[in-house]
Amino acid sequence: MKVIVIIPAAGLGTRMASNSDAVRQQGVPSKQFTELGGTPILIHTLRKFVAFRSISDIWIALRKSEIASFRARLNKETVNQTSIHLVEGGEYRQHSVSKALAAFAAEPEDIVLVHDAVRPFITGQIIQGVIDGTRKYGAAIAGIPAVDTVKQVDRTADGAIVTATMPRERLVMAQTPQGFRYDVLKKAFDEADSDGFLGTDEASLVERSGHEVAVVMGSPRNIKITSPADLELAEFYLRSEVLSTQ
Ligand code: C5P
């Protein structure tokens, strides 16, 4: 049984920039290439998976215009690159993952982990937890209990109006990695594709295909760097990570 990782890294990251037009015109790096301690976020994330021994291959989906420069950046890295593959991503995250999934063959029982490029504070412990959960259930995601009360709203021209309050004890904030047996994930993507369904994570595709998805403990530190405020927090976490390895 192999463990294969897909890292979707083809987002524009418009929420990171104060001027989203600049991102579109490629004047500003997309969020996965924003530097953290002088190193692109994607490289920090990649190092975590490269260091995890049981992973056989890592597929990274990138915007076409960023593939050559990322390849050059990778060449400067001291990581073993034989198992790192770059593919062109798509318009939405799901399309990027789908293109990576289409690029390799696997056995039904192989495990595919999908991890956001912009979650560099993933730990080996969480990766192992998701792999173990996937072995047991066929599908498992990292998640943490919700600490905020979550409201469902109707969006109106004047703003949002609350229509319901979700019972917090039944809510989990989904993170990545999200792990799946290859056959479970492939079936879910094929079905979503033929139904025209677009989800914001892979688990939602697997849920709608009728397969149960287990949740394993993630971490509040496993943040998705999305806004400039997240970047400030990330710099703080990076410093504490460096200190703990000294
Ligand atoms: O935009 P979102 O927050 O969903 O991004 C989550 C991850 O998906 C990021 O790592 C981003 O680069 C990736 N993504 C992608 N292709 C897209 C959009 C997002 O690979 N078209």
Side-chain angles (χ1 to χ4, degrees), residues 7-13 15 31-32 61 89-94 96-97 115-118 200 224 226:
I7 301 180
L12 277 172
R15 284 165 291 180
K31 62 182 172 180
Q32 54 275 9
E91 192 184 351
Y92 292 97
R93 175 210 166 89
Q94 184 176 317
S96 296
V97 174
H115 185 73
D116 292 329
V118 288
T200 51
K224 179 160 107 173
T226 308

Side-chain angles (χ1 to χ4, degrees), residues 183-217:
D183 56 349
V184 170
L185 189 62
K186 190 81 178 67
K187 174 174 176 281
F189 266 78
D190 288 348
E191 287 173 4
D193 192 30
S194 59
D195 299 345
F197 175 82
L198 198 59
T200 51
D201 71 351
E202 292 61 52
S204 59
L205 275 59
V206 171
E207 291 153 35
R208 72 185 288 282
S209 90
H211 198 289
E212 71 176 354
V213 179
V215 181
V216 305
M217 201 54 180

Side-chain angles (χ1 to χ4, degrees), residues 18-40:
S18 52
N19 177 359
S20 56
D21 285 344
V23 176
R24 288 184 199 288
Q25 288 158 16
Q26 296 169 26
V28 171
S30 37
K31 62 182 172 180
Q32 54 275 9
F33 292 106
T34 303
E35 294 200 348
L36 197 56
T39 301

